[in-house]
Amino acid sequence: MTAALPPVADRETWAAALADLRRREKAATRELDAVAAQRRRLPMVEMDDYVLTGPDGPIRLVDVFDGRSQLIVYNHMWTDGARFQCPGCTGFTTQFSRLDYLADYDARFVIITHG
């Protein structure tokens, strides 16, 4: 079985197709930028005083920020009673070994899970 390949064309035809594709890509990028800007302008909502359980016991969500203005949260999937937890989450989060640079962005990174 052979893989389906696009047609062979001369360089001029290829360049015209590439230019058209780039116009579409730029339009898509502009639209995604507009969507992201609209997301940033969404109104805020005041949250209830949410309490998590940390390694030292209960901790209020506001205290998880540890004085920083931004909190980056990764929700690690968890299955009660499983010997091994989500391999995708585990593989993803084990690569975070140097997060001290986040202080320059007034941010803190935390991993949360139901486990």
Side-chain angles (χ1 to χ4, degrees):
M1 181 175 181
T2 60
L5 298 173
V8 175
D10 59 64
R11 186 164 297 278
E12 209 172 270
T13 302
W14 174 84
L18 179 61
D20 182 55
L21 183 60
R22 285 183 175 156
R23 280 190 292 279
R24 291 184 62 204
E25 288 173 337
K26 286 181 181 182
T29 298
R30 284 191 290 275
E31 177 62 16
L32 288 173
D33 288 347
V35 168
Q38 184 176 354
R39 178 176 302 281
R40 288 189 299 272
R41 290 188 302 269
L42 282 172
M44 293 187 284
V45 63
E46 190 171 325
M47 294 181 64
D48 294 333
D49 192 20
Y50 194 73
V51 177
L52 302 165
T53 303
D56 299 321
I59 183 170
R60 295 171 54 224
L61 178 61
V62 70
D63 296 327
V64 175
F65 279 79
D66 196 29
R68 301 207 172 72
S69 65
Q70 298 183 82
L71 184 64
I72 302 165
V73 178
Y74 184 82
N75 186 8
H76 195 300
M77 289 188 285
W78 185 267
T79 304
D80 286 337
R83 181 171 176 209
F84 298 105
Q85 295 303 321
C86 176
C89 291
T90 302
F92 181 68
T93 56
T94 56
Q95 52 188 316
F96 300 123
S97 59
R98 296 182 59 221
L99 296 171
D100 52 324
Y101 72 92
L102 290 175
D104 293 338
Y105 298 94
D106 196 27
R108 181 171 189 219
F109 176 82
V110 297
I111 298 171
I112 62 169
T113 184
H114 284 85

